[in-house]
Amino acid sequence: MTVSSTAPLGILVPLAQEAEALFALMKQDGATQTQRIGGRDYHSGHLFGRPCVLTLSRVGKVAAATAAAGLIHTYQVGAILNVGVAGGAARSVKVGDIVVADAMLQHDLDARPIFPRYEVPLTGISRFSANAAISNSLSGAIEAFLAEDLPQLSAEIRERFALAAPRLHRGLIISGDQFVNGHAAVSALRNDIPDAFAIEMESGAVAQICHDYGVPCAVLRTISDSADDNAHVDFPAFLATVASFYSHHILRRFLQRTDW
């Protein structure tokens, strides 16, 4: 799939705090228009000089699929970027790390014995690929963010959330309609899908919709917890002080690049 150079970028965000912060930035960049479709507000305008359409998808695979379809049908977006937080799946992934998806899988999809576990029925696909050009450009923006922007985050916040030398990871992100926050559940997923880096509730569905319509997609997730019994105790504060800072500066760098 190639990325259109003229169509807007669709930005899909599951949680209100991050969506509102990005919409505030969009309003600073010029005039915006808002259209309500399927119970969601779609905000069109520019973000860091690039034409974008931003929407709050809400949480879960069906909600994300609905939002993605709205971006495709109404706005003819050239690509969709799914931005948000996630739990760490791999033991090497720590709070404050960033995962860019190379592939997305729905870990709760199981139509056996008619179809193999995780396979989306009648597609022959269990792992949907992210767009390489967008993902590579995102990775470049993140590397610059980690080196140049992250040090601007106060020492107090970095200490509060134990942000010890955050890193970029590339690989598999898995999604399901369940909030995974127990040691037993995470251990089972690690055993079944050992190469997963992050767990969340939307991107697998977004990837499936984008595949069906031939629209490139990419996924950017900030790790907010370890997705086990050590799950983060102050999630709203993490969203407000860490995740929003990450998405602001990473998207600024990404949208100002010309290599996708």
Side-chain angles (χ1 to χ4, degrees):
M1 301 178 199
T2 58
V3 183
S4 170
S5 61
T6 58
L9 172 70
I11 302 176
L12 188 155
V13 186
L15 294 172
Q17 295 95 323
E18 287 188 287
E20 290 165 2
L22 290 175
F23 181 46
L25 291 172
M26 180 179 278
K27 288 191 289 186
Q28 292 175 16
D29 210 1
T32 63
Q33 293 184 330
T34 299
Q35 185 175 5
R36 192 160 182 82
I37 306 167
R40 291 162 179 78
D41 289 332
Y42 291 78
H43 308 291
S44 56
H46 286 77
L47 186 59
F48 300 113
R50 204 76 177 245
C52 294
V53 183
L54 168 69
T55 189
L56 169 65
S57 68
R58 303 197 298 262
V59 175
K61 293 195 300 180
V62 174
T66 300
L71 287 169
I72 293 167
H73 281 290
T74 303
Y75 293 95
Q76 291 81 50
V77 294
I80 291 179
L81 175 61
N82 185 199
V83 179
V85 294
R91 289 183 175 85
S92 61
V93 176
K94 309 299 182 185
V95 172
D97 285 1
I98 304 163
V99 180
V100 171
D102 285 332
M104 293 76 76
L105 174 146
Q106 298 174 51
H107 67 77
D108 60 347
L109 204 165
D110 191 349
R112 293 177 295 181
I114 303 172
F115 300 96
R117 189 179 186 186
Y118 311 128
E119 184 177 299
V120 175
L122 305 180
T123 67
I125 301 171
S126 60
R127 300 184 180 215
F128 291 89
S129 297
N131 179 269
I134 300 176
S135 299
N136 290 339
S137 187
L138 270 175
S139 296
I142 291 164
E143 294 286 11
F145 162 79
L146 291 173
E148 300 174 27
D149 298 313
L150 187 61
Q152 300 174 27
L153 201 59
S154 74
E156 177 186 356
I157 291 175
R158 282 184 271 131
E159 182 178 354
R160 178 182 179 185
F161 294 101
L163 305 181
R167 300 166 53 205
L168 166 65
H169 305 268
R170 289 280 297 266
L172 177 67
I173 295 180
I174 58 176
S175 310
D177 279 321
Q178 52 190 262
F179 181 68
V180 178
N181 68 339
H183 180 72
V186 175
S187 294
L189 285 173
R190 285 172 176 163
N191 183 65
D192 293 340
I193 315 171
D195 58 334
F197 280 90
I199 308 168
E200 35 88 311
M201 300 178 66
E202 294 84 24
S203 67
V206 175
Q208 181 179 340
I209 292 292
C210 287
H211 173 270
D212 287 350
Y213 285 97
V215 174
C217 74
V219 182
L220 162 67
R221 294 284 176 159
T222 298
I223 300 301
S224 60
D225 59 75
S226 57
D228 58 17
D229 293 329
N230 299 314
H232 214 286
V233 295
D234 197 351
F235 184 66
F238 184 90
L239 282 177
T241 59
V242 178
S244 293
F245 179 86
Y246 275 46
S247 58
H248 175 171
H249 290 286
I250 292 170
L251 286 178
R252 171 178 59 81
R253 289 185 175 277
F254 168 66
L255 291 169
Q256 290 173 347
R257 295 172 69 101
T258 59
D259 55 348
W260 60 277

